[in-house]
């Protein structure tokens, strides 16, 4: 299953791609079931940028949602200019529990 999430951040020179993907720049394989790909972005007035990530999730289970939310919160919370995530229609803070709940709600919505 593939779906998109959006990182909302203020552009102050930190490279979100480098934080998420490291040196590869084109993919991050979190585990056998979770792969993350860059998928573009845009800049809005006021310096807020949207960075889109495509998530490929082979197995939608609690362990993978826990791992993905932990990965996103851990990687992004260290970035000063990262503001929040948009998952589906929900805008959430960079807190693991909020990310996991939003991921679960979004996947339930997609699957129904």
């Amino acid at each position: 299953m593939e779906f998109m999430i959006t990182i909302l951040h203020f552009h102050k020179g930190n490279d979100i791609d480098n934080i998420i993907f490291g040196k590869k720049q084109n993919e991050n394989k979190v585990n056998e079931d979770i792969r993350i790909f860059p998928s573009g972005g845009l800049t809005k007035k006021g310096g807020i940028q949207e960075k889109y990530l495509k998530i490929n999730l082979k197995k939608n289970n609690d362990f993978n949602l826990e791992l993905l939310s932990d990965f996103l919160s851990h990687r992004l919370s260290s970035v000063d200019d990262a503001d929040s995530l948009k998952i589906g229609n929900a805008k959430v803070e960079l807190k693991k529990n909020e990310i996991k709940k939003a991921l679960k709600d979004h996947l339930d919505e997609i699957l129904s």
Side-chain angles (χ1 to χ4, degrees):
M1 165 188 321
E2 286 188 351
F3 61 96
M4 301 288 288
I5 63 173
T6 304
I7 302 170
L8 302 171
H9 65 103
F10 300 95
H11 184 63
K12 294 181 183 170
N14 285 332
D15 186 3
I16 298 289
D17 282 340
N18 193 38
I19 299 295
I20 296 290
F21 302 105
K23 293 181 181 178
K24 282 187 171 178
Q25 295 291 316
N26 60 355
E27 173 186 2
N28 192 321
K29 187 174 181 180
V30 179
N31 72 3
E32 292 300 316
D33 295 330
I34 304 170
R35 295 169 77 180
I36 303 173
F37 303 91
S39 192
L42 61 90
T43 303
K44 295 183 175 182
K45 289 183 180 177
I48 295 177
Q49 292 195 352
E50 294 184 357
K51 175 65 74 177
Y52 308 123
L53 299 178
K54 181 171 64 173
I55 310 290
N56 184 303
L57 191 62
K58 286 184 185 175
K59 296 179 185 167
N60 176 16
N61 59 35
D62 197 58
F63 173 78
N64 283 335
L65 291 181
E66 183 83 19
L67 188 61
L68 178 57
S69 57
D70 189 45
F71 173 82
L72 291 169
S73 66
H74 177 73
R75 289 286 176 103
L76 294 173
S77 63
S78 64
V79 180
D80 292 339
D81 59 359
D83 178 63
S84 56
L85 285 174
K86 186 174 180 189
I87 301 171
N89 292 324
K91 184 177 173 185
V92 297
E93 293 182 35
L94 300 175
K95 295 180 180 173
K96 181 180 173 178
N97 291 337
E98 288 191 30
I99 294 170
K100 183 179 177 186
K101 183 183 180 323
L103 285 169
K104 183 158 181 37
D105 291 347
H106 184 57
L107 292 174
D108 288 347
E109 192 176 293
I110 291 172
L111 294 171
S112 63

